[in-house]
Amino acid sequence: VPTIIDLIQTAAIPERIFVGLVLQCDPLQEREIIDQLRINSVTAKWAECNLRVHSVHHRQATGPCWARAMAQRLVQNEGYILQIDSHMRFRQNWDVFLWRQL
């Protein structure tokens, strides 16, 4: 949750950011994570339209490579993709900075 909050809070144009979130956890934990994003003042409105989630019970999880493949399935018509893991933090206006690097 802190990674997604920071991602949105530091983006110059957060409405253009879509997150495909792959959760490998207990179903109770999953609900807790989604609820935290929906009630947080930074991400509440954004999460209504810009958050896509794929969940699997942690006992059925097969690791990070599988999770990355599942994340790819959450991509729709986005022009650019940035794939990260949790525990990341972002610089201010990171989205515009990366776009200018292209």
Side-chain angles (χ1 to χ4, degrees):
V1 172
T3 299
I4 295 174
I5 292 170
D6 193 60
L7 176 90
I8 300 309
Q9 195 167 32
T10 57
I13 312 168
E15 60 273 10
R16 290 177 55 183
I17 307 298
F18 292 83
V19 170
L21 178 63
V22 178
L23 295 173
Q24 300 178 84
C25 59
D26 180 271
L28 293 176
Q29 231 182 344
E30 172 194 342
R31 186 79 263 140
E32 200 175 288
I33 290 166
I34 302 303
D35 287 348
Q36 285 179 41
L37 291 170
R38 291 199 171 127
I39 63 169
N40 183 283
S41 62
V42 172
T43 57
K45 185 175 169 89
W46 169 87
E48 290 176 22
C49 301
N50 295 40
L51 179 64
R52 302 173 194 137
V53 180
H54 177 81
S55 299
V56 64
H57 195 284
H58 63 89
R59 291 189 181 131
Q60 297 171 332
T62 56
C65 293
W66 175 87
R68 287 181 180 273
M70 293 302 102
Q72 287 296 118
R73 292 182 180 184
L74 297 173
V75 175
Q76 292 181 4
N77 295 315
E78 291 76 26
Y80 305 102
I81 300 169
L82 173 66
Q83 194 169 62
I84 63 166
D85 293 323
S86 59
H87 311 293
M88 300 287 295
R89 295 299 174 266
F90 299 86
R91 64 177 277 174
Q92 195 63 41
N93 302 323
W94 65 267
D95 50 338
V96 172
F97 176 81
L98 290 179
W99 180 76
R100 287 181 179 157
Q101 301 300 309
L102 298 175

